[in-house]
């Protein structure tokens, strides 16, 4: 039996779900592009966006490994 975990909150590296992080990144990009932020805020927002992107990448890599394992398991049958 395959254990399914639908909650990304249980992942210690990934707090919140993937779609929420993508939405936050898009908001940050819009704020930076607006030109209304102080330079220091631009750097802070950029650093936040980079961290969110890293979290998303880790999440996707983990899910790809799970898919690869499932495909391998199915191929063995």
């Amino acid at each position: 039996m395959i254990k399914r975990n639908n909650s990304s909150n249980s992942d210690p590296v990934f707090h919140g779900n993937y779609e929420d992080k993508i939405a936050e990144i898009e908001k940050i990009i819009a704020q930076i592009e607006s030109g209304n932020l102080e330079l220091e805020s631009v750097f802070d927002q950029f650093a936040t966006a980079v961290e969110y992107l890293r979290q998303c990448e880790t999440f996707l890599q983990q899910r790809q490994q799970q898919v690869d394992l499932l495909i391998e398991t199915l191929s063995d049958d």
Side-chain angles (χ1 to χ4, degrees), residues 40-64:
E40 185 175 343
S41 292
V42 169
F43 287 119
D44 290 343
Q45 291 294 326
F46 182 77
T48 299
V50 168
E51 178 58 32
Y52 288 170
L53 285 169
R54 285 186 183 133
Q55 291 174 8
C56 288
E57 181 180 24
T58 299
F59 173 81
L60 290 174
Q61 287 173 346
Q62 290 171 344
R63 295 320 176 257
Q64 182 63 50

Side-chain angles (χ1 to χ4, degrees), residues 15-74:
H15 305 287
N17 72 38
Y18 179 83
E19 292 82 9
D20 290 344
K21 292 293 182 188
I22 295 299
E24 286 298 318
I25 293 166
E26 290 172 348
K27 284 182 198 176
I28 290 169
I29 291 169
Q31 288 176 348
I32 291 171
E33 288 178 341
S34 76
N36 295 329
L37 294 176
E38 297 286 327
L39 187 57
E40 185 175 343
S41 292
V42 169
F43 287 119
D44 290 343
Q45 291 294 326
F46 182 77
T48 299
V50 168
E51 178 58 32
Y52 288 170
L53 285 169
R54 285 186 183 133
Q55 291 174 8
C56 288
E57 181 180 24
T58 299
F59 173 81
L60 290 174
Q61 287 173 346
Q62 290 171 344
R63 295 320 176 257
Q64 182 63 50
Q65 289 173 350
Q66 289 176 337
V67 168
D68 291 345
L69 182 60
L70 288 172
I71 290 171
E72 185 179 313
T73 301
L74 290 174

Side-chain angles (χ1 to χ4, degrees), residues 5-22:
N5 184 355
N6 294 330
S7 172
S8 59
N9 289 333
S10 66
D11 188 335
V13 175
F14 197 76
H15 305 287
N17 72 38
Y18 179 83
E19 292 82 9
D20 290 344
K21 292 293 182 188
I22 295 299

